[in-house]
Amino acid sequence: MPTPIQILLIGAGELGAAFLPHLSALPNTHVSVGVRTPAKYQDLAPSNVSLIAMDITSPSTQLSQTFVEYDIVISATGFGQSPGSVTKLAKEVFTAGHLRSLMPFFGEQAEVRNLLRAEAEKSNVKWTIVSTGIFMSFLFEQFWGIVDHKSNPVPVLCSSPDRVVVRALRDWEQKVSVTDVADIGKVLTRVVAGDVEADNRIVYAAGDTVSYRELSEIVECVAGKEVKRVEWTIPHLEAELAKNPDDLINKYRLVFARDGVWWDKKGTVNHQLSIHTMNVEMYARELFAAQK
Ligand SMILES: NC(=O)c1ccc[n+]([C@@H]2O[C@H](COP(=O)([O-])OP(=O)(O)OC[C@H]3O[C@@H](n4cnc5c(N)ncnc54)[C@H](OP(=O)(O)O)[C@@H]3O)[C@@H](O)[C@H]2O)c1
């Protein structure tokens, strides 16, 4: 029996937890999950997975020494890590060397991509950025503000009709790629298994790519509620950010509005490998059925 490939998965939140069933089922691999507080995750980890305590804000020398013990490092730490945390991680991986590093991002995140392209080969590190678009759950989260179940946009004197507000980032023709975390887990695991050419490149996943107009039509159709459509234009989003420059959510909204975070589904790993994925309509049907 060959020596098992050692995988370090950093983070076991919404994304990391969705990777575990797929990664831990790979033959001849052992998965360790690195989090700050392993005690929180005792029930989550399948029995063939180890939990280790680690903090990616620790000094770099310490982390590089940890990474040396692994063949593959996968980063799935939380939303809102300090700026530069992914760059720090990439540099520590270079110091450890002889590794494969996988990073799921919503988009391409130019600084990290350029660093990986410039430095990884010298350190004998192979890398893959898995661009996932927005998480399916995130697209429908109240705090993201795109599918807003709670606002009552029109003051109504005698009755309050049941409405959903759908907002477009930039305009109704802007598109967004969306992937459910379980499907990101399936795609990432096929990348780890070597089923697709992914060394030293960005690969794409998308359960769906929809315009905000299509999203509003899907919500209208499956929710059976009146949809109020509101455009969040780039000037509007810039003005909101100027009021609160540290608001991470507004910063991300501007990225989705300005640059667009979308790609054609035909160019994705899930399409290439015929992986069955959840689309926006399927997710919305489940979500709104659960709310009835
Ligand atoms: N595309 C999208 O729509 C979207 C949406 C949300 C997030 N994301 C990205 O997806 C990734 C994961 O997000 P998530 O929603 O799964 O995050 P999450 O649910 O907040 O989970 C974060 C995980 O990382 C661990 N963690 C946090 N800080 C850490 C540290 N300093 N050192 C080691 N482990 C740490 C946490 O465990 P402990 O607390 O025990 O350390 C937890 O297991 C992030 O890169 C995030 O930016 C993308």
Side-chain angles (χ1 to χ4, degrees), residues 12-15 36-37 40-41 55-56 77 81 133-135 138:
E14 185 179 356
L15 187 62
R36 288 167 301 183
T37 44
K40 280 196 312 199
Y41 298 96
D55 186 339
I56 57 160
T77 53
Q81 290 290 329
I134 195 164
F135 293 176
F138 208 89

Side-chain angles (χ1 to χ4, degrees), residues 10-17 33-38 40-41 44 54-58 75-81 86 104-107 109 132-139 143 179 181 184 252 256:
I10 312 172
E14 185 179 356
L15 187 62
V33 177
V35 287
R36 288 167 301 183
T37 44
K40 280 196 312 199
Y41 298 96
L44 176 92
M54 63 176 296
D55 186 339
I56 57 160
T57 63
S58 301
S75 150
T77 53
F79 192 70
Q81 290 290 329
V86 183
F105 286 169
F106 67 70
Q109 303 193 0
T132 66
I134 195 164
F135 293 176
M136 193 69 84
S137 57
F138 208 89
L139 181 66
F143 66 80
T179 318
V181 284
I184 301 173
Y252 281 131
F256 280 79

Side-chain angles (χ1 to χ4, degrees), residues 139 141-153 164-172 174 176 211-213 215-216 219 227-233 236-237 253:
L139 181 66
E141 285 285 359
Q142 184 67 26
F143 66 80
W144 184 235
I146 299 308
V147 182
D148 178 347
H149 317 253
K150 303 231 167 87
S151 284
N152 189 11
V164 183
V165 183
V166 177
R167 300 191 177 93
L169 292 177
R170 195 190 78 187
D171 57 42
W172 296 103
Q174 177 65 297
V176 60
S211 68
Y212 288 99
R213 183 182 309 286
L215 173 66
S216 72
V219 170
V227 166
K228 165 91 178 165
R229 291 173 172 82
V230 176
E231 258 178 14
W232 271 345
T233 62
H236 167 81
L237 292 166
R253 284 182 189 138

